[in-house]
Amino acid sequence: MNRTEELQARQASKPPAPRSARELLVAHTGANPYLGLEELERVGHERAQAEAVAYLLDQKRKSVLASICSELATVHAKEGLSETKLERLARSDLRYITHLEATADAIGNRERLNVSYWALSARLGWDERAISHLNALSRLDGR
């Protein structure tokens, strides 16, 4: 076997070279940072929606309490209840408690999505550092 045949045989046994930079990154890092970016964008949108829901429910809390107080004042007009007593009755109303529970769930969902978002962001940062490291190593190897 001459040198040309030896090189051709060695080239045939090598896996095919990646055709794009994306394939090269996936081959060397074992993870696809582009899929990670898409997932980060999706979680970012969900995070923004969760933030909007939590904000809206928190802002509506006083309105819900006021409307329940108003209803109770109308119902108990003849009894002459104080505002403090009406507010205590309103705070114990099932509608207000349900609203508070929904607000707590929305805030919990917002915080879970914040954690997911920042975890994904950190993971992509590590992938970026790994890519930089691979670039530095390839320059040292003279490739």
Side-chain angles (χ1 to χ4, degrees), residues 38-107:
E38 291 170 7
E39 187 176 354
L40 185 67
E41 183 180 6
R42 181 189 57 77
V43 170
H45 286 297
E46 289 177 10
R47 178 181 171 222
Q49 289 172 347
E51 180 71 35
V53 169
Y55 177 79
L56 181 65
L57 287 172
D58 188 44
Q59 294 301 313
K60 282 181 131 183
R61 183 182 59 80
K62 290 182 181 178
S63 299
V64 168
L65 186 62
S67 66
I68 294 171
C69 277
S70 176
E71 287 176 20
L72 290 172
T74 305
V75 170
H76 298 288
K78 293 181 182 178
E79 296 174 28
L81 297 176
S82 67
E83 286 186 29
T84 307
K85 178 73 173 177
L86 285 172
E87 188 172 336
R88 273 187 276 156
L89 287 171
R91 287 182 187 273
S92 65
D93 190 272
L94 185 60
R95 292 172 289 175
Y96 185 70
I97 293 170
T98 303
H99 183 79
L100 287 179
E101 290 170 349
T103 303
D105 288 342
I107 290 171

Side-chain angles (χ1 to χ4, degrees), residues 128-142:
E128 182 182 339
R129 287 175 190 83
I131 291 166
S132 296
H133 183 70
L134 286 171
N135 285 334
L137 289 176
S138 68
R139 278 187 244 119
L140 288 175
D141 286 345

